Amino acid sequence: MTTSCPTTSRSRSRTPSTSTPSRRATLKDVVASYLDAAHEAGFREVRIIHGRGIGVQREAVRALLARHPKVVGFADAPPERGGWGATLVVLKREI
């Protein structure tokens, strides 16, 4: 799984800073760490690229997103941003 972090109001060159996970990191750990870093950096939207395949990673990622406390919503990316091979995630605003 790869991730990217474009936003509608920020430069595409800015991405949340996260360390590269070890081989033992789980999908849950990687997604949670990425979302936490993006939220802390002030991002309102991120894109998680999980690939098309048969949908196993997509469903696993979406199950995690559904339970993450900083996620407001998520949906398939539009075709120009990955289509059903990527998920756009809307994060809560910091208060």
Side-chain angles (χ1 to χ4, degrees), residues 38-86:
H39 185 260
E40 186 175 314
F43 288 95
R44 289 274 296 132
E45 179 185 273
V46 294
R47 177 177 58 166
I48 298 178
I49 301 171
H50 38 68
R52 293 182 179 176
I54 59 173
V56 174
Q57 280 193 349
R58 174 183 179 214
E59 292 307 314
V61 165
R62 289 180 173 208
L64 295 168
L65 295 173
R67 295 188 307 267
H68 196 282
K70 294 178 181 153
V71 172
V72 173
F74 55 89
D76 283 344
E80 65 275 7
R81 293 185 66 197
W84 53 274

Side-chain angles (χ1 to χ4, degrees), residues 7-58:
T7 67
T8 56
S9 63
R10 295 181 187 260
S11 167
R12 286 183 177 241
S13 65
R14 288 199 50 189
T15 57
S17 175
T18 57
S19 61
T20 304
S22 70
R23 287 185 165 256
R24 294 179 191 218
T26 65
L27 179 64
K28 178 180 178 181
D29 294 337
V30 172
V31 170
S33 174
Y34 181 71
L35 294 174
D36 290 342
H39 185 260
E40 186 175 314
F43 288 95
R44 289 274 296 132
E45 179 185 273
V46 294
R47 177 177 58 166
I48 298 178
I49 301 171
H50 38 68
R52 293 182 179 176
I54 59 173
V56 174
Q57 280 193 349
R58 174 183 179 214

